[in-house]
Amino acid sequence: MNIETLIRPNILTMESYTPILPFEILSAKLGRDPKDIIKLDANENPYGPSPRVQSLIFNHQYLHIYPDPESTQLRVALARDLNIPTENILAGAGADELIDLILRLFINPNDSVIDCPPTFGMYSFDAAVNAGRVIKINRRDDFSVNVDAIVGGGA
């Protein structure tokens, strides 16, 4: 049996996602000590977690238990701090998951998604996964978004 006959056609023909190089692989590839590298290609914090966060993680007694899938405590705290209803807050395991969830909710097959490269690759990848059509409108030389080209239908 050919497993590909069971896969949605748009998945078979979509452009593959090129992930970033994991830190340890980049370090080895460059032959540099990880302490000498500051990665800025994936919206990562080059400073790591604060000592307070490290302490909380180290002292947390339930790290072996699957976490709350609704991030209830986080959403309640954010709602209180931002003065908005808890149900208006969506928490996720990073931008990848949130972008995917939002596109699953709002696009239908063949809907258009505008992507303004250079930008985060998950926008066009998740649009393709959800059978959306990606319209790429390049940014200006100063990296600002070319709103005129978007409104005009392309550049």
Side-chain angles (χ1 to χ4, degrees), residues 1-8 12:
M1 178 178 162
N2 181 356
I3 192 77
E4 289 185 3
T5 62
L6 302 175
I7 299 173
R8 291 184 355 226
L12 284 173

Side-chain angles (χ1 to χ4, degrees), residues 13-128:
T13 59
M14 69 182 271
E15 187 176 320
S16 65
Y17 177 70
T18 304
I20 60 159
L21 285 177
F23 198 67
E24 61 277 4
I25 293 174
L26 178 63
S27 174
K29 185 176 183 176
L30 295 174
R32 309 234 13 184
D33 189 308
K35 293 182 295 202
D36 296 332
I37 299 172
I38 297 175
K39 281 180 77 254
L40 300 175
D41 65 339
N43 281 340
E44 298 166 331
N45 175 356
Y47 307 106
S50 73
R52 183 173 177 212
V53 169
Q54 287 179 338
S55 172
L56 290 170
I57 291 171
F58 182 76
N59 293 316
H60 196 284
Q61 55 183 310
Y62 300 112
L63 287 179
H64 63 289
I65 302 297
Y66 198 78
D68 172 12
E70 295 184 352
S71 303
T72 306
Q73 290 179 330
L74 172 64
R75 290 174 48 246
V76 166
L78 288 170
R80 183 174 45 245
D81 188 57
L82 299 169
N83 196 29
I84 61 174
T86 304
E87 61 269 14
N88 289 5
I89 298 174
L90 176 64
D96 290 13
E97 179 186 20
L98 294 174
I99 292 166
D100 178 55
L101 291 173
I102 290 167
L103 288 178
R104 283 192 215 190
L105 281 172
F106 293 106
I107 69 167
N108 291 304
N110 296 316
D111 278 354
S112 296
V113 173
I114 297 172
D115 188 26
C116 300
T119 190
F120 191 36
M122 292 308 292
Y123 297 125
S124 57
F125 179 79
D126 280 324

